[in-house]
Amino acid sequence: MVTLTFWPLESSTSSTTSSVGICCVSCREKGLAAGIGSPAPSATHSGSGGPSRIIPARQLLPTCWALRRKLLKVSLPPSVGSCRTGMEAEQGEELVGKARGPTSTFTCSAAPQCLHPDRAPCAHGWLWFPCGWGSQGVHLCWSREREGAGDRGAALAALCIAGRRSGNDASYYQSAARNTETECCKLSTAGGRGQRWARVAAGRQPGQCHRGTKQGKRPRAAAPRLPACMYFSSCSLRCSTSAGGPELSREEKLQLRKEKKQQKKKKRNEKGTAAEPPEPGTAADPAQPRVTPHPASPPASANAPNDGEKPPGGKSKAELRAERRAKQEAERAQKQAKKAELGQGAAPAKPRLTPTEAPSVVKRLPEHVQVDDPAAQRKLAKKLERQQVPLRQDYGTKVNLFSHLHQYSRKKPLTQQMSIPSTVIHPAVVRLGLQYSQGIINGSNARCIALLEVFKQLIRDYSTPPNEELSRDLVAKLKPHISFLNQCRPLSVSMGNAIKFLKKEISCLPDTLREEEAKEKLQGTIDNYLREKIVLAAEAISKSAFEKINDNDVILVYGCSSLVNRTLCDAHTQTDRTFRVIVVDSRPRLEGRETLRRLVRHGIHCTYVMINAISYVLPEVSKVLLGAHALLANGSVMSRVGTSQIALVSKAYNVPVLVCCETYKFCERVQTDSFVSNELDDPDDLIVQRKGQAQLGGWAENKSLRLLNLVYDVTPPDLVDLVITDLGMIPCTSVPVVLRVKNVDQQ
Amino acid sequence: MEFQAVVMAAGGGSRMTDLTSSIPKPLLPVGNRPLLWYPLNLLERAGFEEVIVITRKEIQKMLSLDTKMKLDFVYISDNVDMGTADSLRHIHQKIKTDVLVLSCDLITDVDLYKVVDLFRTHDATLSMLMKKAPEPTEVAPGQKGKKKPVEQRDFIGVDDTGKRLLFMANEADLDEELVIKRSILQKHPRMHIRTGLMDAHLYCLKKYVVDFLVENRTITSLRSELIPHLVRKQFSSPTSLQQGLDNKEEGRKKKEQASLDIYSFIKEDNSLLKPAPDNSCWNDHRGDMNETLHEGKVRCYVHIMKEGLCCRVNTLALYIEANRQVPKLLLNLGLEEPLVHGTAQITDRGMVGSDSIIGSSTQIGEKTSIKHSIIGSACTIKDKVKITNCIIMNSVTIEEGCCLQGSVICNNAVIEKGADIKDCLIGSDQRLETKEQFLIKPLLE
């Protein structure tokens, strides 16, 4: 079921043809408005003639957010059927007030196009965002039955692409767009002087989102290369503005298409006789993107008759017949070849992609963001069964947007389903898992350190069974333990990196080592990792942070970050600068109290406020110092929920935001929002106990009430001024560089 | 291996001698199963494969249990009176890991993982199980009138979460007032002191506690000495405690030899947050400047059952209560064996209550009604007998027209025609004459 929210359109953009409209605060703020038009293609796209205006992505983003947020709630009335919803957002006042339906001709003409080839039209709703600044439009269609957060993500991303003109910038938004197999997003950048079509054939692309099948995994999207799946053909498709096409009825269009195909064939045949047949799948024919049976190519049809009429003059009938037969033979052969190619390639029914465009690396999505996908869950259950680890059941109903994440109850630990003298899982790991899930070991660094210490113990107690190799068997032995811990609480990025490192170290062990030596060596490497990546890194960070802490500074910190605490304590004891700290805290964990305790213990002058008082304290703050859970490849900072809010308000007050983060927490993942990959904590934590009464106590029984206890959020890179790492101070957009250097180092 | 289970089944049942004079306590039938079966079944359900059972030789001979677990019987000679701590010390060589000690008289359907998880999560020294004690409502047979239980009350102090065990004292050890050390209140300004909690005698103990026991020969009982000792030790620093303990020892037991401190047995890795002391932002307390957990090395936790069955069979009243509860428990366990044994011959099935248990080869005559009762195997119950709230052990013969209510009838007793028995305990091999009426009157051999 497609869900869309409708709410009354207040602005003057309200369309003449529709009674409902979409509008959101941020749209209005930006001078953007969106409206839903009637499904019928009525008017021509009159506005597209003007010069294209570029909207910076940042300006666009809130729109998308709002859109996206709103897109999720209310269901479409079933009667809408294969609903076509055009939305228009206009920038600037000049366009406000213009009556607009879906209006633009190419909206409609694009419609059959957008439909996923595998599915009947009625199974789709499609949505068009001609993000009204005259020229850019995004076509998007998604399948109804598989509607999910990923699809919405794609919608968002596609919208973003439209907003971004530069390919490089767009690349990571594209990555989000490429995420599903079901939707095909169509991006059109139709400039005033010519239309640029870019297709995001989402079909078999690796994508950032979780909705995808096996292939869908986050690509390293921040890599400045343009992903292969996307291409902007520079051809000018005179589509909507040209006469004909759009006004035609469906049958006519089909007719046209047929004709066009035949003409193409003929053309090809002729070419085939003259020279070799053009290779399918290359961009040999840029003016005619071969896979775009877009009805908006009337120019082609207009040209076609001429092509078709070209007679290979000067030949007898017999000759002609023979020639034709030969042509047919060739054609058949060609078709078969094409089919074979299709079968191998990742493209769906329509060869949207050439093999060269296909992604080289196919990555899997992690299961912990596919909870709403029963197939992925079955797979997980099977894997756990194989590893003899029980499956932890999700708890309670989840907030709509987060149905793809796990939500566990602290009161129902995994040990419930295990025998008490645990046989499969090492006792130390059981204990660690419980401590993770109960929140006793908490914080990215602490979790990673505890994990490595336990793994050291595991390696110590390990003995290679006969006929096995240590390097292989040990990795296999670690796997159930990691699955167990992952179910107790989803692994942190730091833990993920540490595990990756350890696995690599184990597999790289030379075979010549005796078991004892190998174990000792491994423990040594773990110790080194702990010392270099965490202890020494913290030291380096606190040293370089000294430079940033001046006399009489007022530093704002949030939550409890071991690194920030250490930095502040070091700065207090090792320098003679006087500074003051404002500790900001938030419910439900109230971790700031621990920060406060530690800082006050060191004699630092502290103030403690809750996060809702932040705008009150910010005017006196000179610096904001934040910890991080992870730094993502696009420069986003993933941290305790609330961090992005603080960064945003700080930006508004022009207070510099510094983030402290060790480089071992850098992650190749890309995230632009906090939805796709996050963690849900126990919703029961939000229950307030006051005077013996538990407010919200019976939330589970109330069907219209859901609790969201989000753990992390993502701070966009432009809100962060500087990242203090063990490599020095870098802008947060340099994460990919650091990661690349690291990769080179490791090899 | 993570845990070793030890079942203490050597006790004589000194508080219910009426029953245990003829049948040793671990063999007392509860729901037609020996008492010892229940803790063993609890362990088996939890996933244990090996159990050490400390018992006496003659008990083991009479014991027949069907269990898949490997039972390791350790015998204690009859003439030595050994406390539970002594028993544990006795088998210390067998103990290689942390231990789960439980008494043979515990019948419970607790989820054992809850107790064990407290132990695991907090890396505790001790975790134990408690349950709100039931109010003694029914009159126990053989006890005239409503006698208040002579037992001394326990005062249990827990923290806000209700899990950390802070204080423990028995009324017997106290004078007029309850004395709480300042060190406890400094660290835990809020403490809930509760009475009316029954200790289930189920303890998870660290290996080093057993080592400590081996060195400290003065401790004889787990419940009355070791556990309170551990609870106290949570709040005393190693040095001051040494002196305090010495003084106490001198005062009480006149022993010159200083007992070894438990701290010397705690190994390095005990500290809960040791790998990342400064990194985790978790803290168990607030409002002061102290480190997490106050750097205490000994930590005791308690799981207090809010609902579910948990009873200890150590008095006659509790024995009857346990028998009353057991049919429900057995049903919940989903055992293959039905409550009414297949070989029992019952004429009027409709007259047998659904919560009654009837053993094998028992014959029950016409118009005999049985309610809330447990009847052993090979009994003969004739026509027109009314049995309510009774426990009838094996091979008992009840003649026609009897009326039994709230009584316990031991093995091989014979009750003649028309007897009317209420709230009585009838010993083994007793024979009741015709037409006698007994009311709240102990009848023993």
Side-chain angles (χ1 to χ4, degrees):
Chain A
M1 186 77 181
V2 172
T3 53
L4 267 178
T5 302
F6 293 90
W7 65 104
L9 186 71
E10 298 160 63
S11 83
S12 54
T13 29
S14 69
S15 148
T16 48
T17 48
S18 65
S19 54
V20 279
I22 295 187
C23 184
C24 51
V25 179
S26 55
C27 285
R28 258 180 282 137
E29 277 170 4
K30 303 285 174 205
L32 298 173
I36 289 190
S38 78
S42 51
T44 51
H45 195 318
S46 53
S48 65
S52 56
R53 285 177 294 273
I54 299 168
I55 298 215
R58 207 201 292 175
Q59 212 172 342
L60 177 65
L61 212 51
T63 321
C64 309
W65 272 78
L67 273 178
R68 176 172 186 190
R69 211 170 297 137
K70 301 295 185 187
L71 271 176
L72 308 168
K73 284 177 193 158
V74 187
S75 316
L76 266 184
S79 63
V80 178
S82 86
C83 135
R84 300 168 186 181
T85 316
M87 251 192 287
E88 289 215 2
E90 293 292 346
Q91 193 203 21
E93 293 188 347
E94 51 198 294
L95 286 169
V96 173
K98 273 190 190 169
R100 287 191 184 279
T103 60
S104 99
T105 47
F106 70 78
T107 317
C108 313
S109 58
Q113 258 286 289
C114 285
L115 298 182
H116 195 279
D118 295 342
R119 290 173 198 279
C122 63
H124 292 75
W126 61 269
L127 187 64
W128 181 63
F129 304 91
C131 307
W133 35 92
S135 50
Q136 296 167 338
V138 176
H139 291 250
L140 182 76
C141 89
W142 72 98
S143 96
R144 264 158 182 257
E145 50 288 317
R146 303 212 38 197
E147 197 265 342
D151 303 341
R152 297 169 211 134
L156 166 71
L159 198 59
C160 296
I161 303 168
R164 297 236 177 187
R165 299 300 292 265
S166 123
N168 279 359
D169 279 344
S171 64
Y172 58 80
Y173 290 109
Q174 286 153 18
S175 71
R178 280 182 279 113
N179 51 20
T180 94
E181 48 152 8
T182 49
E183 77 220 335
C184 69
C185 312
K186 193 155 218 261
L187 165 82
S188 88
T189 32
R193 281 149 234 142
Q195 283 82 19
R196 294 203 301 157
W197 283 95
R199 271 199 315 277
V200 181
R204 299 284 184 257
Q205 296 311 313
Q208 184 201 358
C209 239
H210 48 273
R211 183 112 278 271
T213 47
K214 289 168 197 164
Q215 293 97 337
K217 194 169 184 180
R218 303 178 182 83
R220 218 184 297 168
R225 258 172 288 129
L226 198 62
C229 64
M230 169 131 192
Y231 74 88
F232 290 84
S233 73
S234 55
C235 72
S236 62
L237 276 180
R238 286 164 292 147
C239 57
S240 56
T241 42
S242 68
E247 277 84 359
L248 299 177
S249 75
R250 198 186 171 88
E251 287 85 349
E252 281 171 318
K253 271 186 245 166
L254 279 175
Q255 188 71 32
L256 260 180
R257 211 181 301 168
K258 259 185 199 168
E259 276 176 25
K260 211 172 74 188
K261 262 186 193 165
Q262 280 177 353
Q263 284 153 10
K264 252 192 215 169
K265 268 182 203 168
K266 275 185 191 168
K267 217 173 165 183
R268 217 176 279 152
N269 289 349
E270 282 148 24
K271 273 187 191 167
T273 50
E276 284 157 38
E279 284 240 336
T282 52
D285 193 3
Q288 190 71 62
R290 137 201 63 80
V291 283
T292 323
H294 197 278
S297 0
S301 62
N303 294 340
N306 299 333
D307 296 341
E309 279 159 26
K310 266 185 210 165
K315 277 178 187 174
S316 77
K317 267 188 184 173
E319 269 176 332
L320 273 175
R321 214 178 296 144
E323 209 173 307
R324 219 173 291 146
R325 206 171 297 141
K327 257 186 259 167
Q328 276 168 354
E329 296 275 354
E331 199 178 349
R332 230 169 274 152
Q334 199 183 321
K335 250 186 191 170
Q336 269 172 359
K338 204 169 169 185
K339 251 185 201 167
E341 187 189 280
L342 263 182
Q344 291 163 2
K350 286 187 187 178
R352 298 197 164 265
L353 300 166
T354 59
T356 49
E357 288 168 338
S360 53
V361 188
V362 176
K363 282 187 163 184
R364 271 186 311 111
L365 264 184
E367 61 77 24
H368 64 83
V369 293
Q370 296 191 74
V371 181
D372 54 348
D373 184 356
Q377 285 309 295
R378 271 197 300 276
K379 218 171 139 196
L380 170 72
K382 228 180 235 171
K383 180 181 132 197
L384 291 176
E385 203 182 326
R386 204 171 51 237
Q387 294 178 342
Q388 293 178 289
V389 178
L391 177 72
R392 196 166 174 196
Q393 293 303 320
D394 271 20
Y395 169 70
T397 40
K398 286 174 246 182
V399 174
N400 268 348
L401 264 174
F402 295 93
S403 59
H404 62 283
L405 297 174
H406 282 293
Q407 179 170 281
Y408 300 127
S409 169
R410 252 185 250 300
K411 293 202 186 73
K412 291 178 190 141
L414 204 50
T415 45
Q416 197 176 359
Q417 306 163 51
M418 291 165 58
S419 67
I420 283 194
S422 72
T423 45
V424 185
I425 308 293
H426 192 279
V429 178
V430 174
R431 190 194 302 152
L432 181 69
L434 282 170
Q435 289 174 349
Y436 281 158
S437 72
Q438 300 296 324
I440 287 179
I441 294 184
N442 191 2
S444 197
N445 278 342
R447 281 166 78 193
C448 186
I449 296 170
L451 177 84
L452 287 176
E453 291 290 342
V454 163
F455 276 173
K456 258 166 69 183
Q457 207 173 331
L458 212 67
I459 291 170
R460 196 167 55 228
D461 296 350
Y462 168 83
S463 61
T464 324
N467 307 327
E468 290 280 359
E469 252 176 77
L470 178 127
S471 56
R472 287 183 191 201
D473 190 57
L474 186 54
V475 172
K477 281 269 157 58
L478 285 183
K479 272 180 185 162
H481 291 102
I482 294 165
S483 310
F484 175 84
L485 291 176
N486 197 12
Q487 287 202 77
C488 289
R489 193 182 157 184
L491 301 182
S492 69
V493 169
S494 57
M495 287 159 73
N497 285 344
I499 288 170
K500 216 187 287 171
F501 164 81
L502 186 62
K503 276 186 179 169
K504 191 162 161 281
E505 285 297 318
I506 294 173
S507 57
C508 288
L509 280 176
D511 296 339
T512 50
L513 281 182
R514 279 186 300 117
E515 190 181 316
E516 286 308 310
E517 288 170 347
K519 278 159 70 174
E520 234 159 72
K521 186 162 182 258
L522 277 179
Q523 295 188 15
T525 23
I526 292 177
D527 279 335
N528 275 344
Y529 188 87
L530 282 174
R531 202 177 56 246
E532 283 171 20
K533 305 279 180 180
I534 302 175
V535 179
L536 293 180
E539 223 164 85
I541 288 169
S542 95
K543 282 229 174 72
S544 49
F546 284 175
E547 300 171 23
K548 288 287 167 190
I549 297 174
N550 303 326
D551 236 358
N552 300 324
D553 257 356
V554 179
I555 295 165
L556 185 139
V557 298
Y558 174 63
C560 184
S561 155
S562 56
L563 187 59
V564 169
N565 287 352
R566 191 202 156 134
T567 304
L568 290 174
C569 293
D570 283 358
H572 182 75
T573 48
Q574 295 174 20
T575 63
D576 50 356
R577 290 168 209 156
T578 52
F579 58 90
R580 204 152 71 75
V581 176
I582 295 177
V583 181
V584 180
D585 205 355
S586 69
R587 280 193 38 78
R589 287 215 181 169
L590 298 174
E591 288 157 325
R593 293 197 301 218
E594 180 61 15
T595 306
L596 191 68
R597 185 183 71 77
R598 291 186 192 174
L599 296 182
V600 171
R601 234 178 118 90
H602 276 83
I604 300 172
H605 187 295
C606 288
T607 310
Y608 178 81
V609 296
M610 294 306 277
I611 197 165
N612 38 19
I614 181 154
S615 65
Y616 169 73
V617 294
L618 261 176
E620 54 174 321
V621 172
S622 56
K623 255 161 215 121
V624 175
L625 203 59
L626 298 172
H629 171 78
L631 233 66
L632 309 179
N634 58 343
S636 302
V637 178
M638 194 171 186
S639 192
R640 184 94 188 115
V641 68
T643 306
S644 97
Q645 185 187 343
I646 287 179
L648 192 69
V649 183
S650 308
K651 194 84 185 169
Y653 281 88
N654 268 332
V655 179
V657 177
L658 317 178
V659 170
C660 297
C661 184
E662 298 94 337
T663 47
Y664 88 104
K665 289 188 202 162
F666 284 19
C667 174
E668 291 184 350
R669 210 161 65 192
V670 166
Q671 244 177 278
T672 51
D673 60 45
S674 318
F675 296 86
V676 177
S677 181
N678 207 323
E679 190 186 326
L680 299 180
D681 212 349
D682 188 351
D684 286 346
D685 288 358
L686 300 183
I687 296 172
V688 186
Q689 289 277 358
R690 210 166 274 160
K691 289 175 187 159
Q693 269 194 330
Q695 283 152 32
L696 286 178
W699 69 275
E701 281 86 56
N702 193 336
K703 275 185 187 162
S704 53
L705 176 65
R706 275 147 203 211
L707 302 187
L708 176 66
N709 189 1
L710 209 55
V711 178
Y712 302 114
D713 69 8
V714 171
T715 311
D718 40 7
L719 297 181
V720 177
D721 295 288
L722 196 66
V723 180
I724 307 176
T725 71
D726 33 332
L727 301 176
M729 291 184 233
I730 58 171
C732 55
T733 43
S734 311
V735 175
V737 182
V738 175
L739 283 174
R740 206 178 309 143
V741 171
K742 258 188 171 176
N743 282 341
V744 169
D745 282 354
Q746 278 178 10
Q747 284 155 14
Chain B
M1 196 147 55
E2 194 183 6
F3 281 101
Q4 281 176 296
V6 179
V7 177
M8 302 280 184
S14 51
R15 281 192 277 186
M16 44 199 280
T17 42
D18 297 348
L19 277 172
T20 52
S21 54
S22 54
I23 310 164
K25 187 169 154 188
L27 299 178
L28 273 181
V30 177
N32 285 342
R33 288 163 197 276
L35 189 51
L36 182 58
W37 181 84
Y38 291 92
L40 290 179
N41 180 261
L42 177 72
L43 293 173
E44 193 173 351
R45 269 184 290 142
F48 280 91
E49 283 165 358
E50 281 178 44
V51 178
I52 301 170
V53 182
I54 302 175
T55 185
R56 291 172 197 274
K57 203 147 201 170
E58 81 266 8
I59 294 174
Q60 204 258 318
K61 274 180 203 159
M62 292 155 73
L63 196 66
S64 62
L65 288 164
D66 53 332
T67 170
K68 286 177 197 126
M69 292 188 295
K70 196 180 142 220
L71 299 183
D72 182 2
F73 287 97
V74 178
Y75 306 114
I76 284 174
S77 56
D78 294 349
N79 23 19
V80 190
D81 190 25
M82 280 174 106
T84 42
D86 295 324
S87 303
L88 203 56
R89 196 178 297 132
H90 185 67
I91 57 156
H92 76 269
Q93 277 157 338
K94 286 180 184 258
I95 290 175
K96 304 277 184 288
T97 62
D98 301 344
V99 281
L100 182 70
V101 183
L102 63 169
S103 153
C104 75
D105 56 8
L106 174 67
I107 299 177
T108 178
D109 60 355
V110 70
D111 293 316
L112 210 49
Y113 78 90
K114 286 180 179 160
V115 185
V116 175
D117 276 359
L118 275 179
F119 185 75
R120 287 164 166 165
T121 312
H122 299 95
D123 211 357
T125 312
L126 157 82
S127 76
M128 59 195 289
L129 174 69
M130 284 196 184
K131 167 90 206 261
K132 204 162 187 275
E135 295 295 314
T137 46
E138 304 263 340
V139 189
Q143 286 179 344
K144 256 188 189 164
K146 271 204 173 176
K147 256 192 228 169
K148 277 275 165 196
V150 281
E151 264 185 84
Q152 304 284 357
R153 278 181 298 170
D154 271 326
F155 296 96
I156 310 289
V158 290
D159 71 349
D160 266 343
T161 60
K163 286 175 185 161
R164 181 90 191 254
L165 184 57
L166 303 175
F167 179 78
M168 202 176 204
N170 191 284
E171 213 169 19
D173 303 335
L174 298 171
D175 300 330
E176 290 291 293
E177 64 238 331
L178 201 63
V179 182
I180 294 167
K181 274 206 241 163
R182 190 186 291 161
S183 59
I184 302 177
L185 286 176
Q186 269 170 355
K187 289 167 184 171
H188 294 272
R190 281 172 72 96
M191 177 161 68
H192 303 259
I193 300 221
R194 301 180 62 170
T195 58
L197 288 176
M198 178 198 69
D199 183 1
H201 287 221
L202 186 152
Y203 310 113
C204 281
L205 295 168
K206 276 264 193 264
K207 166 84 167 68
Y208 59 74
V209 177
V210 180
D211 296 341
F212 167 72
L213 270 183
V214 172
E215 294 297 321
N216 267 283
R217 299 208 157 259
T218 51
I219 294 175
T220 59
S221 157
L222 289 182
R223 175 63 180 86
S224 52
E225 289 171 57
L226 178 73
I227 306 297
H229 179 73
L230 290 178
V231 172
R232 272 198 308 275
K233 286 262 182 168
Q234 295 181 91
F235 303 102
S236 40
S237 62
T239 45
S240 71
L241 187 109
Q242 184 79 47
Q243 293 163 356
L245 197 80
D246 285 353
N247 295 339
K248 216 176 221 174
E249 296 268 317
E250 280 163 26
R252 204 172 58 190
K253 299 217 169 180
K254 312 272 182 210
K255 281 208 174 180
E256 319 306 323
Q257 176 197 356
S259 75
L260 276 156
D261 197 341
I262 187 159
Y263 287 93
S264 53
F265 293 94
I266 297 176
K267 282 183 220 117
E268 255 326 283
D269 60 357
N270 178 54
S271 169
L272 178 58
L273 301 171
K274 181 208 146 215
D278 287 336
N279 288 304
S280 187
C281 33
W282 180 80
N283 202 336
D284 65 324
H285 60 90
R286 62 188 171 105
D288 55 28
M289 288 288 109
N290 291 318
E291 288 299 325
T292 309
L293 290 170
H294 307 280
E295 293 171 328
K297 285 189 169 175
V298 179
R299 291 181 289 275
C300 300
Y301 287 84
V302 59
H303 173 67
I304 298 172
M305 278 177 83
K306 292 207 173 63
E307 51 201 15
L309 170 67
C310 176
C311 51
R312 286 195 63 217
V313 180
N314 53 7
T315 63
L316 189 54
L318 285 170
Y319 174 69
I320 290 167
E321 180 61 29
N323 270 296
R324 201 166 290 143
Q325 303 272 3
V326 147
K328 228 189 299 170
L329 173 76
L330 291 176
L331 275 178
N332 288 343
L333 291 185
L335 296 170
E336 288 163 22
E337 225 171 285
L339 292 185
V340 176
H341 198 272
T343 55
Q345 295 169 3
I346 303 166
T347 327
D348 287 333
R349 280 215 175 247
M351 304 279 276
V352 177
S354 61
D355 56 349
S356 298
I357 300 177
I358 294 167
S360 60
S361 337
T362 289
Q363 295 176 354
I364 295 171
E366 269 177 51
K367 290 184 182 171
T368 293
S369 84
I370 297 166
K371 280 174 196 160
H372 317 296
S373 298
I374 290 162
I375 295 167
S377 54
C379 293
T380 313
I381 297 166
K382 295 282 170 61
D383 301 346
K384 292 174 190 163
V385 179
K386 265 177 89 175
I387 300 174
T388 318
N389 284 331
C390 287
I391 300 155
I392 296 169
M393 295 184 193
N394 299 338
S395 311
V396 174
T397 310
I398 300 171
E399 296 290 339
E400 270 172 45
C402 291
C403 184
L404 285 82
Q405 216 179 329
S407 302
V408 178
I409 296 160
C410 295
N411 290 338
N412 303 323
V414 178
I415 293 161
E416 296 285 352
K417 263 184 196 172
D420 190 355
I421 301 171
K422 200 179 172 195
D423 298 331
C424 283
L425 172 72
I426 296 171
S428 295
D429 307 312
Q430 272 302 79
R431 193 176 186 92
L432 290 193
E433 297 305 321
T434 319
K435 294 278 178 193
E436 266 185 282
Q437 281 205 357
F438 298 94
L439 196 66
I440 316 181
K441 196 170 167 190
L443 267 186
L444 290 167
E445 283 172 305

